[in-house]
Amino acid sequence: MMRLPYQESAEGLNAAFIGVPLDTGTSNRPGARFGPRHIRAESSMVRTYNATTRAAPYNSLVVADIGDVHVNLYNLKDSCRRIREAYQKIMAAGCIPLTLGGDHTITYPILLAVAERHGPVGLIHVDAHTDTGEQALGEKIYHGTPFRRCVDEGLLDCKRVVQIGIRGSSYSPEPYKFCREQGFRVVFAEDCWSKSLVPLMSEVRQQMGDKPVYLSFDIDGIDPSFAPGTGTPEIGGLTTHQALEIIRGSRGLNLVGCDLVEVAPMYDLSGNTALTAANLLFEMLCVLPGVQSY
């Protein structure tokens, strides 16, 4: 990733890029298992300084790529176990994980490990969908349920959860009832159209305070005109500059982990979706605690 050195483990690192090539939790178009390799390929031209925000992440943090979690593509529950155990080791090393997905199922086992170390965390969740379904076809674990499972297991500080970019058709007349009952702040895509999200992120920073926060970014939060390479695209989404405002607006928060999920490269032969993902992951690195400006 980004031509960084490869390392077998997170020992001695402040932050690490790690891939989770899993898409067995996908309900629509598969392919997100190929996200990590394509994001890495498109990251080769991402440079070392953020000339806009003046962040110098590699002058401040020890960072490496620690490869992929060895998931079990034939057993989703076993994959979740493997992901949790891999992230327990990352957490034990005191390293902040920056994850390349993979479908959104992976955030559930990641947060199991994160919450073991930090307790219930705040969540900034960028997505077209709330991913708070109860089940599908009798299964409670898939990419439409990770944050429902996180609530069930007490992994989230629900008063510090914000979901941004939500939109699309639904299976019920009140699809966001569960989120509101938990105290989540749901920001619809329509409320973001044709405006800067800098004021929104100022409010989010106040809401999150100085307690641990996890940032989960589903690439389908961005409009498919910018990022078509995803399994469940929804029209009317965020722009890439709004995505930058959200991530840059997270600077100063106590971020304990980030992920970028649902890149399915075969639906975008230009490579632009993976390129966008690579740049957004760099922006996440640039807002981690301890990153200095130049």
Side-chain angles (χ1 to χ4, degrees):
M1 184 67 171
M2 300 178 191
R3 293 173 286 119
L4 286 163
Y6 169 73
Q7 184 168 308
E8 288 286 343
S9 75
E11 293 297 327
L13 300 178
N14 302 117
F17 291 100
I18 181 169
V20 186
L22 180 76
D23 64 3
T24 15
T26 304
S27 59
N28 188 29
R29 302 188 299 185
R33 70 180 65 182
F34 301 110
R37 72 177 69 173
H38 283 261
I39 294 169
R40 284 186 174 103
E42 294 294 343
S43 76
S44 62
M45 280 296 290
V46 179
R47 301 168 184 88
T48 53
Y49 292 93
N50 192 320
T52 304
T53 67
R54 310 292 291 181
Y58 304 115
N59 292 358
S60 313
L61 306 178
V62 181
V63 188
D65 188 328
I66 60 173
D68 289 348
V69 176
H70 296 292
V71 296
N72 181 349
L73 293 174
Y74 305 110
N75 188 318
L76 187 55
K77 290 181 180 178
D78 184 53
S79 285
C80 287
R81 176 190 63 80
R82 290 165 178 258
I83 295 165
R84 179 179 183 174
E85 290 176 357
Y87 279 78
Q88 285 172 329
K89 294 177 182 178
I90 295 171
M91 292 291 108
C95 176
I96 300 175
L98 296 161
T99 303
L100 293 65
D103 73 55
H104 222 150
T105 309
I106 70 174
T107 305
Y108 165 54
I110 292 172
L111 284 174
L112 282 169
V114 170
E116 281 182 21
R117 182 173 179 88
H118 295 286
V121 296
L123 175 70
I124 299 173
H125 172 206
V126 184
D127 205 321
H129 316 97
T130 63
D131 293 351
T132 53
E134 172 56 25
Q135 58 85 30
L137 301 176
E139 294 296 326
K140 289 195 169 187
I141 298 176
Y142 82 109
H143 75 161
T145 63
F147 300 112
R148 183 73 161 246
R149 302 286 80 85
C150 287
V151 170
D152 291 346
E153 302 212 25
L155 310 181
L156 300 178
D157 180 355
C158 292
K159 299 302 181 185
R160 294 193 304 122
V161 173
V162 58
Q163 299 181 300
I164 305 171
I166 307 302
R167 62 191 188 278
S169 55
S170 66
Y171 292 108
S172 72
E174 295 185 47
Y176 312 115
K177 181 181 178 182
F178 175 83
C179 300
R180 294 194 173 106
E181 288 176 344
Q182 309 315 307
F184 295 3
R185 179 177 182 181
V186 180
V187 181
F188 298 109
E190 289 89 338
D191 297 328
C192 301
W193 289 351
S194 304
K195 66 175 68 171
S196 168
L197 300 189
V198 170
L200 169 65
M201 291 311 297
S202 177
E203 296 173 4
V204 169
R205 287 195 301 275
Q206 292 183 24
Q207 179 182 357
M208 296 297 160
D210 59 2
K211 296 179 181 178
V213 179
Y214 188 89
L215 173 59
S216 185
F217 201 116
D218 187 325
I219 200 70
D220 73 25
I222 299 176
D223 189 80
S225 61
F226 296 96
T230 190
T232 315
E234 305 280 1
I235 67 168
L238 305 175
T239 65
T240 50
H241 69 256
Q242 287 175 320
L244 290 173
E245 288 177 328
I246 292 169
I247 297 172
R248 292 174 180 177
S250 301
R251 189 170 191 175
L253 294 177
N254 182 14
L255 289 170
V256 295
C258 307
D259 65 47
L260 192 295
V261 299
E262 297 285 0
V263 172
M266 64 283 297
Y267 307 117
D268 181 7
L269 298 181
S270 73
N272 282 343
T273 304
L275 177 67
T276 297
N279 278 274
L280 294 181
L281 282 158
F282 176 70
E283 293 286 339
M284 292 176 189
L285 175 66
C286 288
V287 298
L288 293 185
V291 172
Q292 303 298 316
S293 300
Y294 66 97

